[in-house]
């Protein structure tokens, strides 16, 4: 069955990158607009109401007299905060050349649902867009540790990794690793040849047994224990 179309706005200050990304995205991604700076992005998001915004973390402000360097270029979070009141249903996925901890933490604190690097393929970006549109959190695996450090998502000191994993069945461990890597529920179902309902049941059991509250915390938990 074909994937549902996701309406996307691309925000990046390099026109060549925007054009290349648009061409590489899956046909199920409908690019409804582009923007090159914070001001233009906020306006375009309000106007087009996209499902997901693909957002660079370093952007010029678009204001007169601002050249977009240094602190003024760190505009990804400004887009999120500026657009949130007018587009409350829009989700944000950071897509940046930077893998610096401060960039990851800043944009996630602002409200982005995930962060992937520009080394990702068009297919990987497309999958991430669909996952974020479905309400999931997506991170390039090696970036999850930054999120862990910033938000303290590692849970408890009462058990070793082995003890914690022993709480999970073999199938639950398989589901846990795929979910922690950023797979959407339907992708886990296809990978393991089980139903979506079974995936949901396993995820609920994993979160309960590990005393975690979300798949976002699960990603950080697994990353800290090098289970990805």
């Amino acid at each position: 069955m074909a994937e549902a179309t996701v309406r996307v706005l691309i925000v990046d200050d390099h026109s060549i990158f925007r054009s290349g990304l648009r061409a590489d995205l899956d046909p199920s991604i409908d690019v409804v607009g582009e923007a090159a700076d914070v001001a233009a992005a906020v306006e375009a998001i309000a106007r087009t109401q996209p499902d997901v915004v693909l957002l660079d973390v370093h952007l010029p402000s678009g204001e007169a007299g601002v050249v977009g360097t240094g602190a003024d270029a760190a505009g990804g979070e400004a887009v999120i905060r500026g657009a949130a009141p007018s587009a409350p249903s829009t989700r944000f996925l950071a897509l940046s050349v930077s893998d610096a901890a401060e960039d990851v933490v800043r944009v996630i604190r602002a409200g982005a649902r995930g962060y992937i690097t520009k080394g990702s393929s068009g297919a990987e970006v497309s999958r991430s867009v669909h996952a974020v549109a479905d309400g999931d959190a997506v991170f390039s695996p090696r970036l999850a540790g930054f999120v862990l450090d910033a938000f303290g998502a590692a849970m408890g000191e009462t058990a070793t990794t082995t003890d914690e994993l022993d709480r999970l069945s073999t199938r639950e461990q398989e589901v846990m690793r795929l979910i922690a890597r950023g797979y959407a529920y339907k992708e886990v179902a296809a990978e393991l040849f089980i139903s979506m309902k079974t995936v949901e049941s396993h995820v609920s059991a994993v979160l309960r047994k590990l005393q975690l509250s979300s798949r976002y915390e699960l990603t950080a938990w697994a990353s800290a224990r090098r289970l990805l």
Side-chain angles (χ1 to χ4, degrees):
M1 185 174 64
E3 289 188 293
T5 298
V6 178
R7 301 174 68 256
V8 168
L9 184 87
I10 299 173
V11 181
D12 193 282
D13 60 342
H14 294 93
S15 61
I16 292 177
F17 176 78
R18 296 197 306 270
S19 298
L21 178 60
R22 182 192 282 259
D24 282 346
L25 291 172
D26 187 86
S28 63
I29 306 297
D30 177 20
V31 178
V32 297
E34 300 178 5
D37 57 53
V38 173
V42 171
E43 184 280 327
I45 293 166
R47 175 169 41 83
T48 62
Q49 299 290 307
D51 300 312
V52 176
V53 175
L54 279 168
L55 178 68
D56 194 4
V57 298
H58 292 287
L59 295 165
S61 72
E63 297 174 2
V66 176
V67 297
T69 60
D72 290 326
E77 70 274 21
V79 172
I80 297 172
R81 292 183 175 124
S86 62
S89 298
T90 295
R91 295 186 170 109
F92 296 85
L93 173 61
L95 176 61
S96 177
V97 69
S98 171
D99 60 1
E102 58 268 26
D103 288 334
V104 178
V105 171
R106 187 176 60 245
V107 76
I108 296 303
R109 283 192 189 280
R113 293 288 300 173
Y115 194 116
I116 57 177
T117 61
K118 287 183 177 178
S120 305
S121 67
E124 290 169 335
V125 175
S126 297
R127 284 196 297 270
S128 297
V129 165
H130 277 284
V132 167
D134 288 342
D136 295 331
V138 178
F139 299 93
S140 295
R142 62 197 182 93
L143 302 181
F146 298 151
V147 178
L148 168 70
D149 292 340
F151 297 96
M155 304 300 290
E157 299 176 354
T158 59
T160 64
T161 299
T162 298
D163 291 337
E164 290 168 318
L165 287 177
D166 283 346
R167 301 176 192 172
L168 308 180
S169 69
T170 300
R171 179 63 89 187
E172 286 169 350
Q173 290 185 37
E174 292 173 339
V175 171
M176 177 271 293
R177 284 185 168 88
L178 292 175
I179 290 294
R181 288 171 184 160
Y183 282 58
Y185 284 10
K186 58 188 171 184
E187 293 174 321
V188 176
E191 183 79 14
L192 299 179
F193 301 101
I194 57 180
S195 70
M196 283 267 290
K197 191 173 186 65
T198 301
V199 173
E200 292 171 358
S201 177
H202 284 317
V203 171
S204 294
V206 168
L207 294 177
R208 184 181 70 254
K209 290 178 180 180
L210 297 180
Q211 300 179 28
L212 305 174
S213 61
S214 67
R215 62 177 298 162
Y216 170 81
E217 290 186 352
L218 179 61
T219 296
W221 179 90
S223 175
R225 290 154 179 79
R226 301 184 180 180
L227 297 176
L228 300 177

